[in-house]
Every structure is written in C-alpha cells, then in structure tokens.
Amino acid sequence: MRTLLPLLATALLLGTSAQAAGARSDGITEVPSFGSDPGNLRMLEYVPDGLAEGSPVVVALHGCGQNATGYGVDSGWVELAQRLGFALVLPEQRGINNYNGCFNWFQSADTTRGWGEVASIASMVEHTVTGTGADPSRVYVTGLSAGGGMTAAVLATYPERFAGGGVVAGLPYRCASALYEAYTCMNPGKDLTPEQWGDRVRAASPHTGPWPTMTVWHGDADYTVSVANQRELVEQWTDVHGTDTTPDRTGTVAGYPHAVYTDDRGSSVVETVTVTGMGHGQPVDPGTGTTRCGHTAAHMLDVDACTAWYLADTWNLT
C-alpha cells in the first residue's frame, strides 16, 4: 500500500520550492499507459521529431518540490535531446505517494527490484526502448537530490538495463531503507566501508556484471545533502566495479575538480565533479554555445557548467 509522507513537506531534500513550470510542455507528452506501474508514477516523455532507430535513451529524475516538465526543461535535458538526438524519459512523482513530490529513495518498498518506484521506472524504460526502436545498450539515468538517490537505486536494482548513471547532489543506494534514516544520510551522511556499500548493490539484483558507470556531481557547500555522500557513492561504485578509491586521473571540468577512477582495463567506471562554492542544486549554464544549457530556477544554479551537457558528453551522446 502506498504511504503518504507529510513529514517531508518542509525538510526532505529540496524543501517546498516548486518550479513554476505552469502549462509549459516544450514538446513533452504524457504516456498514460506504459506497462506495470507498482510505484504509481506518471510517465512523461520527450521524443524529438524524426528520431532515428538505435538512438540512446536518457531518464531524468526531478528533485523534491519539482515536476518532470520543469526539471526536464530547466536542467537542459530537453534541449539536449532535441539537439543531440535521443529519447528523454521524465518520471514524475504523485502527491499521493509523497506529500512533497520526492521520489522515495529512502523506502525499501520503492527501492527493491520488482517493487514500487524502481519497477515503474524500469517499465518506462522498456516502453520507450520498444516504442522508439532505441538501442537498449545505450540507456542512461540521472537525477537531482531525491532524484539522485533514486538514480542510484535504479542502477542498483536494474543494472542490466543501464549503461551509466549520473547522480547530482544525491546519495548512495540503501543509505536509508526507512524515513527515520533519511535525515542522517542527508547530513552528515553515513560512513560505511566500500565493501559494505558495494554489498548493498550486489544484493539488489541477480546481476553479476558488467556494471553501469557512475558519475557524481556535488557542490562542496551543500548543507542539505552533505558532500560526504559523493565520497560514499565513489566507495560504493568503485567497489562494485572491483577497483579502489584512489583516483587514477585528476583534472578539471569547467574549472571544477574532476576525478576519474578506472578499472583494470583502464576504462573510466566512476567519475566525480566537485563544484566549489555551490550549495544544493543542479549546475546549469544558460546561454548559447556547444557546452551551455539549462535555465536558472529554484535549485537550478548558474555556475558556468551545465551538468546535463557534461553527462551527455561522458556518455558519448554529443
């Protein structure tokens, strides 16, 4: 039975500052029937005109107090889907499931394979891949805050369906399995060993690899979801990939510290970008130009770097 969680109204992740997407559609359409929906989510979708068969798919998960259309547009994902040629899946939470519109990344019933919200998102992916003739080996998922926590959950529970993921200001899989644990996970964060974190992913599905790649963007001045969660995500996903937590390459992305962790073949499996001085939100870079995208809005922060574009580039969609 789905549970209403009014306690989240003022505290859990993005607070109550909803984006005023209003009647904007920007070519986004609702898919009223997409298959099994045990999580009772809405499915919205943006498919560019003339999209070729064999194109990629990106799933983008909004944060609390946001909606699918507002997040898809303001993060830059809609314009990139049109510009680069991929299908965009935009799941949306319903108020009956969560008072503040948060994906329930902290509830075991919604983060267990075959159950709840992760199963609904997996159904959306299957519907879009089948309906557009997309390449099932080029499916990616990303999300902000609660959407970032759900991104980690989807990757853990359905790793065979995704080539990679991008967590923005989010949390490791199964940092919490009930509401009472969520606040501590957010800040100061939960400190486990890499193996303990990795075991939580390995226990989430019968999958034995290969595993999706993981990229983590986080502001180092984030006091809502502590940047310590970036470190714990690195520990979780490097352990899953069988590598260590020492970066193999370091540098910058858009002027911000960037670290890359590689497997024994030298392939990048985990990456981080730490946005210095940034609080809680999604990096955007409004304007024209190849690497620029997004719009400023609540928790859409102009830091001269559009995370959506850099993720698309990491996933070879550019």
Side-chain angles (χ1 to χ4, degrees):
M1 185 177 195
R2 308 293 294 157
T3 303
L4 183 66
L5 296 172
L7 291 177
L8 298 183
T10 58
L12 196 55
L13 299 188
L14 290 177
T16 57
S17 53
Q19 293 187 49
R24 286 188 308 177
S25 67
D26 296 274
I28 297 169
T29 59
E30 181 166 6
V31 180
S33 179
F34 54 85
S36 177
D37 184 21
N40 189 32
L41 301 178
R42 292 181 71 205
M43 177 182 176
L44 289 88
E45 180 182 67
Y46 176 77
V47 179
D49 291 340
L51 184 68
E53 287 197 11
S55 296
V57 175
V58 173
V59 181
L61 298 161
H62 64 78
C64 301
Q66 297 177 319
N67 60 45
T69 297
Y71 180 68
V73 172
D74 290 333
S75 64
W77 279 116
V78 170
E79 64 187 276
L80 289 175
Q82 195 281 326
R83 190 199 315 172
L84 302 177
F86 57 83
L88 182 64
V89 178
L90 295 164
E92 185 172 283
Q93 183 60 284
R94 296 182 188 270
I96 195 171
N97 300 334
N98 184 291
Y99 183 85
N100 203 35
C102 310
F103 290 107
N104 289 311
W105 60 271
F106 49 86
Q107 296 281 34
S108 60
D110 284 302
T111 59
T112 298
R113 185 180 175 99
W115 292 21
E117 292 173 16
V118 291
S120 293
I121 294 166
S123 290
M124 295 180 198
V125 169
E126 184 175 354
H127 183 278
T128 298
V129 169
T130 300
T132 64
D135 183 347
S137 71
R138 299 184 71 198
V139 180
Y140 304 88
V141 59
T142 182
L144 166 64
S145 196
M150 187 55 71
T151 293
V154 170
L155 291 172
T157 52
Y158 292 93
E160 76 281 5
R161 300 196 183 191
F162 296 93
V167 172
V168 185
L171 308 100
Y173 176 62
R174 283 289 167 90
C175 183
S177 57
L179 176 61
Y180 73 90
E181 296 180 286
Y183 301 101
T184 300
C185 285
M186 289 159 54
N187 199 336
K190 183 178 288 186
D191 185 12
L192 301 181
T193 67
E195 184 177 10
Q196 288 173 321
W197 282 125
D199 284 346
R200 297 185 179 201
V201 173
R202 286 183 286 269
S205 80
H207 188 67
T208 58
W211 297 93
T213 62
M214 171 64 80
T215 303
V216 188
W217 283 66
H218 213 119
D220 70 357
D222 188 338
Y223 302 113
T224 302
V225 177
S226 170
V227 71
N229 284 287
Q230 183 185 60
R231 179 193 66 227
E232 302 304 304
L233 276 161
V234 167
E235 292 183 356
Q236 183 168 67
W237 289 91
T238 52
D239 187 76
V240 167
H241 281 279
T243 189
D244 59 36
T245 58
T246 301
D248 296 287
R249 297 195 302 273
T250 57
T252 60
V253 165
Y256 297 113
H258 176 222
V260 178
Y261 305 79
T262 63
D263 61 15
D264 56 8
R265 298 186 303 274
S267 299
S268 172
V269 292
V270 177
E271 297 186 38
T272 62
V273 179
T274 306
V275 186
T276 51
M278 189 184 80
H280 190 62
Q282 172 115 1
V284 295
D285 187 15
T288 59
T290 301
T291 65
R292 303 183 74 176
C293 61
H295 306 276
T296 55
H299 302 288
M300 296 289 172
L301 308 178
D302 183 357
V303 294
D304 298 323
C306 186
T307 291
W309 189 89
Y310 285 101
L311 286 175
D313 189 53
T314 296
W315 299 332
N316 296 315
L317 307 185
T318 57

